[in-house]
Amino acid sequence: DAKTTQPNSMESNEEEPVHLPCNHSTISGTDYIHWYRQLPSQGPEYVIHGLTSNVNNRMASLAIAEDRKSSTLILHRATLRDAAVYYCILRAQNNNDMRFGAGTRLTVKP
Amino acid sequence: KAGVTQTPRYLIKTRGQQVTLSCSPISGHRSVSWYQQTPGQGLQFLFEYFSETQRNKGNFPGRFSGRQFSNSRSEMNVSTLELGDSALYLCASSLEGRANEKLFFGSGTQLSVL
């Protein structure tokens, strides 16, 4: 089964861009790449997802490598409210299985 | 629109007991999935229900079961509780449960087994 690998933690300064990497070298051709974040005492919150092309929404951008073996979540201007654990997840189209990485704990310094 | 509601928020049980957790999805969502979150194992997929049928199942023992009702509300049951079942149990809902859909998570039920 494909799985994701993320750094355990990252730090950023407020109002600076943050690039959160994720490796998924055994991804299958039909797996979607999803990102969610989780604040303390809350359930995960959807951030963004994509299949092959880069994606942008109001929260973030997702850059997917051409070979799809890695992706990067980009927060353009980090705020204190962005401090959370970010999960990179693969969702299989054939059986909707979800494989979670261990997540990256993002700390944002004022 | 109300979000995903999980009840109860906290639960304390003893070994050997059984427990039932409830999840009310967002109105109109037909897929409900369940997850276990522990500090050691992280987030793990338990199972997914769609139109009252279990469609996918993670790698958990048969003590973990669930069901979905005609109004899409779902329950999960854990029988013969073990200490290792202490965890945050999360449910999530989506429209059809497709891989390209957003999942909306509840705040979870924190289960402690003593």
Side-chain angles (χ1 to χ4, degrees):
Chain A
D1 285 345
K3 67 173 187 179
T4 64
T5 305
Q6 302 174 250
N8 287 336
S9 62
M10 291 184 66
E11 279 189 358
S12 171
N13 293 318
E14 198 175 9
E15 298 192 4
E16 289 187 355
V18 183
H19 290 231
L20 298 167
C22 181
N23 285 320
H24 29 79
S25 58
T26 57
I27 189 172
S28 84
T30 55
D31 287 349
Y32 278 87
I33 302 160
H34 284 247
W35 284 81
Y36 286 75
R37 68 183 186 183
Q38 187 173 23
L39 279 69
S41 303
Q42 294 186 27
E45 172 191 30
Y46 170 83
V47 178
I48 201 165
H49 77 277
L51 184 62
T52 56
S53 304
N54 294 342
V55 184
N56 299 295
N57 66 21
R58 64 173 182 82
M59 288 182 72
S61 295
L62 176 60
I64 301 173
E66 198 169 330
D67 63 5
R68 297 202 339 120
K69 294 186 176 185
S70 65
S71 60
T72 302
L73 177 69
I74 303 164
L75 306 179
H76 296 287
R77 288 184 67 196
T79 70
L80 297 178
R81 287 174 296 184
D82 291 324
V85 178
Y86 286 79
Y87 292 97
C88 169
I89 300 162
L90 301 181
R91 293 190 68 186
Q93 287 197 51
N94 58 348
N95 66 2
N96 226 343
D97 185 17
M98 289 189 63
R99 284 146 280 161
F100 294 87
T104 297
R105 181 174 299 279
L106 175 66
T107 302
V108 180
K109 296 183 288 184
Chain B
K1 203 177 201 183
V4 177
T5 305
Q6 290 188 247
T7 55
R9 187 75 178 88
Y10 300 94
L11 206 48
I12 299 174
K13 292 286 187 178
T14 56
R15 277 182 299 173
Q17 288 186 310
Q18 74 162 14
V19 67
T20 300
L21 312 181
S22 180
C23 174
S24 293
I26 289 173
S27 177
H29 285 191
R30 296 164 64 193
S31 168
V32 174
S33 49
W34 288 88
Y35 307 86
Q36 182 194 65
Q37 186 172 30
T38 60
Q41 298 296 321
L43 270 162
Q44 296 183 87
F45 170 72
L46 280 158
F47 30 65
E48 185 229 357
Y49 285 86
F50 178 80
S51 290
E52 303 178 65
T53 302
Q54 186 181 89
R55 195 160 59 173
N56 295 295
K57 190 176 192 304
N59 190 24
F60 278 81
R63 299 186 297 107
F64 291 81
S65 63
R67 59 178 176 168
Q68 186 180 34
F69 302 95
S70 58
N71 62 358
S72 293
R73 190 177 71 84
S74 178
E75 290 180 346
M76 69 162 280
N77 184 277
V78 188
S79 62
T80 321
L81 283 166
E82 300 176 0
L83 295 179
D85 297 333
S86 295
L88 179 66
Y89 290 88
L90 293 157
C91 83
S93 75
S94 66
L95 283 166
E96 302 282 334
R98 295 197 183 105
N100 62 345
E101 289 177 355
K102 298 179 191 180
L103 289 175
F104 294 84
F105 283 83
S107 296
T109 293
Q110 184 66 55
L111 172 65
S112 297
V113 182
L114 307 178

